[in-house]
Amino acid sequence: MEAMPCQNQRLGPRPQDEQPPAATTATAGGGSRLIRFAEPGEDSGCPSPDSSSSSNGLSAAAAAGPTIPAGEGGAPPIGPQLKLLPMNDQLRELQTIIRDKKSSRGDFVFSADRLIRLVVEEGLNQLPYTECTVTTPTGHKYEGVRFEKGNCGVSIMRSGEAMEQGLRDCCRSIRIGKILIQSDEETQRAKVYYAKFPPDIYRRKVLLMYPILSTGNTVIEAVKVLVEHGVQPSVIILLSLFSTPHGAKSIIQEFPEITILTTEVHPVAPTHFGQKYFGTD
């Protein structure tokens, strides 16, 4: 299946995207900054790409110089299914703390929970809603909106469970299913060991939670399980914190109708997320 030839869709305006790339870190007006990623080997707190990244041609791109997230600054687009949160200094700071190997676990978890909350709230914006009219305490009519019923969350264990509380904080009564996928010791392929969903999940819109998209294989297997239970890929919204270009492309090529929401696309993903979040690193 060919990759989608469209540009990535970023949620909300980014003034800096409208300005041409600059070689310096500030423009004459002093407002625009160019943020780059450190190359592997620099003291940035980011792990170097593993052998699997090299096989996908990502290590060569990383070694060539500063990497720009896919779909920005002329980088190869992935598709309109991939949506990025609007970048700002707050978001960049949270990403920095999570990637920094010197961050304490307390700071790491606090920052991860904040970033998860931002992703979850933006994910809820992707769900359908209906217009409604309510009466205020002063007796006035107010034209508002209300989310349609029929949504649920599904976390891919174990790192996906870190996002469950953020979803419950926004939707108190939402039902959450679970999928456990691990690599087979003999074949090294992703294998489904456990799956528990609401019985009527085939009628629901699904917020699939998995914080780090590296190869995309785990998510692909999880979506296959959901499809087997009657869920259409078009009603699945994948909530992720970090993604590699290869991981996002693999998922979209396999399921072109799925929606992926993340904060960053970069060849080096913080794969230590689950271990540090749950204190097993």
Side-chain angles (χ1 to χ4, degrees):
M1 184 177 296
E2 298 181 357
M4 302 298 290
C6 304
Q7 291 288 341
N8 298 342
Q9 179 178 351
R10 181 171 289 277
L11 304 174
R14 283 192 64 190
Q16 58 266 41
D17 288 345
E18 301 174 0
Q19 301 184 17
T24 60
T25 57
T27 61
S32 178
R33 290 181 296 168
L34 179 63
I35 302 176
R36 77 174 186 91
F37 287 90
E39 301 179 20
E42 293 184 9
D43 187 18
S44 62
C46 302
S48 299
D50 53 21
S51 57
S52 61
S53 299
S54 300
S55 62
N56 296 313
L58 299 178
S59 60
T67 305
I68 302 176
E72 298 183 23
I78 294 179
Q81 304 93 325
L82 179 64
K83 302 179 185 295
L84 300 175
L85 266 66
M87 183 55 63
N88 52 49
D89 288 341
Q90 176 186 213
L91 199 66
R92 182 67 71 187
E93 180 193 25
L94 297 176
Q95 294 172 341
T96 302
I97 294 173
I98 292 173
R99 285 185 175 274
D100 189 357
K101 65 181 180 181
K102 299 179 181 178
S103 296
S104 67
R105 181 170 177 266
D107 290 342
F108 181 94
V109 173
F110 180 80
S111 300
D113 286 341
R114 286 185 60 197
L115 193 60
I116 288 170
R117 180 67 177 263
L118 294 174
V119 172
V120 167
E121 290 183 348
E122 190 56 58
L124 295 177
N125 286 333
Q126 308 301 312
L127 297 175
Y129 61 86
T130 55
E131 296 182 353
C132 66
T133 302
V134 297
T135 303
T136 69
T138 59
H140 292 83
K141 299 295 183 179
Y142 178 80
E143 302 293 333
V145 296
R146 180 177 289 117
F147 281 111
E148 294 182 358
K149 295 183 178 180
N151 307 312
C152 72
V154 174
S155 62
I156 301 178
M157 302 163 66
R158 153 175 156 187
S159 60
E161 293 178 306
M163 306 180 72
E164 290 182 5
Q165 188 58 49
L167 180 58
R168 288 194 176 99
D169 288 342
C170 298
C171 303
R172 291 183 299 174
S173 60
I174 194 168
R175 304 190 67 178
I176 297 180
K178 295 178 182 289
I179 303 178
L180 175 60
I181 300 176
Q182 295 180 342
S183 298
D184 187 271
E185 295 181 357
E186 296 181 358
T187 63
Q188 298 301 316
R189 298 186 63 180
K191 182 178 179 181
V192 179
Y193 285 86
Y194 174 84
K196 181 67 174 179
F197 307 127
D200 60 345
I201 193 172
Y202 60 91
R203 295 187 299 184
R204 296 175 179 265
K205 299 168 187 64
V206 178
L207 295 171
L208 184 61
M209 297 174 286
Y210 195 60
I212 308 298
L213 300 183
S214 183
T215 64
N217 294 336
T218 299
V219 172
I220 290 174
E221 291 300 320
V223 175
K224 288 181 180 179
V225 175
L226 291 171
V227 171
E228 292 174 358
H229 284 73
V231 180
Q232 298 299 318
S234 59
V235 300
I236 299 176
I237 301 174
L238 175 60
L239 304 182
S240 176
L241 304 184
F242 300 89
S243 174
T244 65
H246 172 69
K249 288 179 181 178
S250 298
I251 296 170
I252 292 174
Q253 288 176 357
E254 187 76 18
F255 301 102
E257 296 179 341
I258 198 172
T259 298
I260 301 177
L261 178 62
T262 187
T263 72
E264 182 181 69
V265 178
H266 186 267
V268 181
T271 54
H272 66 292
F273 180 90
Q275 289 82 359
K276 191 156 188 175
Y277 188 92
F278 293 105
T280 58
D281 53 340

